[in-house]
């Protein structure tokens, strides 16, 4: 049985349940246009983290990278009034933070989960210190670059188009390009990868840098959409992103994963809270459900992996 078929069926079952209990909400189009604004943030972060997990590593620092890169974006814009320069500065910081994580993991040989927990605290703390714990307004942002990130094309948010393009590029990079073999072999069998001449260190550097850039991009979109940056930016996304990736069929031990499953997983996680609230339950239940989703998904794909075809 295909993992993609299973995860797609799960999505339609969830939508069916929500529509049955809240037809006024889930049989109208407005809620789905709203999802085209919120789900892309989760998906962009997932597309950054997915290759890292496939390569057998973790990045726990991306929420803090979002906060710090968002601060760089907002500060540079307020200082210069140049939105393009602010975007560039933020993406450069994202790349730097990813490279720093890679240095700790590849160069210093610190386990990635430990190294990135450390940088998570560092970047978050630095963002709070530099901002004085205060938010930064982006009410003056206008023009072409803002339209690129949070504009509307025939009513469709451009961030959803960006996320879709990135999903296609990520699929091509992992499953239709030589670099994807480096990622898959690095996560499946590092010793075999070295024997095949794969530069594991370079591969992981590129993956962590990509994660940093994706975090910065998500932060830019989030800041522009809400016309504000705040020191807590990125909080709450870690659980959502891991849940989306694992429910999408990516194994925790590396060496396999699914871009399609991650896309559907992002949609499932992205619609869950509003669906639960629309059904009349308290929003706090979503945290319980997210945790359960991660546990159940990992158990299913670990215990029954041989019964599923990679997708």
């Amino acid at each position: 049985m295909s993992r993609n078929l299973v995860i797609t069926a799960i999505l339609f079952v969830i939508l069916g349940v929500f529509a049955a209990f809240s037809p006024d909400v889930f049989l109208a189009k407005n809620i789905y246009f709203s999802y085209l604004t919120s789900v892309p943030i989760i998906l962009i972060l997932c597309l950054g983290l997915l290759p890292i997990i496939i390569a057998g590593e973790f990045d726990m620092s991306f929420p803090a990278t979002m906060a710090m890169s968002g601060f760089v974006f907002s500060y540079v814009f307020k200082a210069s009034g140049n939105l393009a320069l602010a975007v560039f500065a933020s993406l450069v910081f994202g790349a730097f933070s990813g490279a720093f994580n890679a240095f700790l993991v590849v160069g210093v040989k610190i386990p990635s989960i430990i190294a990135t927990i450390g940088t998570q605290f560092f970047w978050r703390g630095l963002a709070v210190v530099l901002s004085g714990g205060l938010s930064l307004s982006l009410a003056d942002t206008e023009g072409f670059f803002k339209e690129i990130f949070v504009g509307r094309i025939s009513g469709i948010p451009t961030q959803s188009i960006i996320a879709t393009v990135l999903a296609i590029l990520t699929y091509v990079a992992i499953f239709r390009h030589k670099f994807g073999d480096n990622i898959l072999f690095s996560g499946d069998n590092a010793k075999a990868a070295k024997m095949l001449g794969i530069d594991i260190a370079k591969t992981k550097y590129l993956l962590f840098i990509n994660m940093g850039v994706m975090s910065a991009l998500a932060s830019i979109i989030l800041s522009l959409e809400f016309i504000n940056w705040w020191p807590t930016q990125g909080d709450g996304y870690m659980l959502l992103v891991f849940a989306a990736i694992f429910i999408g069929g990516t194994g925790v031990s590396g060496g396999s994963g699914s871009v399609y499953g991650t896309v559907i997983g992002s949609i499932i996680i992205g619609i869950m809270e509003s669906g639960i609230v629309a059904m009349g339950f308290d929003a706090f239940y979503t945290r319980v459900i997210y945790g359960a989703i991660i546990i159940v998904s990992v158990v299913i794909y670990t215990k029954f992996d041989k019964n599923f075809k990679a997708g």
Side-chain angles (χ1 to χ4, degrees):
M1 184 184 296
S2 170
R3 289 182 179 183
N4 293 343
L5 182 60
V6 172
I7 189 66
T8 303
I10 291 173
L11 172 60
F12 280 106
V13 168
I14 291 172
L15 285 173
V17 171
F18 288 163
F21 282 89
S22 307
D24 293 342
V25 175
F26 282 89
L27 293 181
K29 65 180 181 180
N30 291 342
I31 188 70
Y32 298 102
F33 277 100
S34 176
Y35 288 147
L36 289 177
T37 300
S38 58
V39 172
I41 301 296
I42 299 173
L43 179 55
I44 289 170
L45 294 169
C46 286
L47 294 173
L49 187 60
L50 175 65
I52 289 180
I53 293 177
I54 292 176
E57 303 290 352
F58 286 92
D59 186 349
M60 312 295 286
S61 69
F62 67 86
T65 300
M66 289 178 67
M68 190 60 203
S69 59
F71 171 78
V72 171
F73 170 71
S74 304
Y75 182 84
V76 171
F77 173 74
K78 292 183 76 68
S80 66
N82 190 322
L83 191 57
L85 179 61
V87 168
F88 176 75
S90 180
L91 295 176
V92 168
F93 173 79
F96 169 76
S97 68
F100 183 63
N101 281 338
F103 168 73
L104 295 176
V105 174
V106 178
V108 186
K109 306 296 183 184
I110 301 174
S112 59
I113 193 169
I114 303 300
T116 56
I117 286 175
T119 52
Q120 155 84 343
F121 280 104
F122 179 77
W123 295 129
R124 177 70 67 187
L126 186 61
V128 173
V129 169
L130 293 178
S131 66
L134 303 176
S135 63
L136 297 176
S137 173
L138 293 166
D140 297 332
T141 53
E142 295 293 342
F144 176 70
F145 269 93
K146 182 176 181 180
E147 291 300 309
I148 289 177
F149 292 106
V150 294
R152 300 292 186 269
I153 299 177
S154 300
I156 298 175
T158 52
Q159 53 261 55
S160 64
I161 298 173
I162 292 172
T164 301
V165 171
L166 290 175
I168 294 170
L169 293 176
T170 301
Y171 174 80
V172 171
I174 298 176
F175 298 105
R176 292 293 183 267
H177 192 274
K178 182 180 178 180
F179 181 65
D181 293 334
N182 296 355
I183 299 172
L184 293 164
F185 275 113
S186 296
D188 186 51
N189 192 324
K191 291 183 179 179
K194 289 181 180 178
M195 292 177 64
L196 291 171
I198 293 174
D199 191 337
I200 295 178
K202 180 180 178 181
T203 298
K204 291 185 177 181
Y205 260 97
L206 291 173
L207 296 182
F208 277 105
I209 290 172
N210 177 64
M211 179 73 247
V213 172
M214 290 289 202
S215 300
L217 175 60
S219 185
I220 291 168
I221 293 173
L222 200 60
S223 298
L224 289 174
E225 185 67 39
F226 290 97
I227 322 176
N228 197 69
W229 171 87
W230 54 98
T232 58
Q233 188 158 289
D235 274 358
Y237 278 99
M238 184 179 296
L239 183 60
L240 304 182
V241 170
F242 275 102
I245 290 175
F246 290 140
I247 195 176
T250 297
V252 294
S253 58
S256 66
S258 170
V259 174
Y260 176 83
T262 298
V263 171
I264 301 301
S266 298
I267 296 172
I268 290 173
I269 294 302
I271 71 175
M272 193 69 71
E273 183 167 348
S274 59
I276 290 172
V277 172
M279 290 172 62
F281 293 99
D282 196 298
F284 292 119
Y285 282 100
T286 57
R287 295 295 168 180
V288 176
I289 293 175
Y290 291 149
I293 285 174
I294 293 177
I295 295 171
V296 172
S297 299
V298 170
V299 169
I300 290 175
Y301 291 124
T302 299
K303 290 292 184 181
F304 306 104
D305 187 68
K306 63 182 179 181
N307 295 322
F308 292 94
K309 297 177 182 178

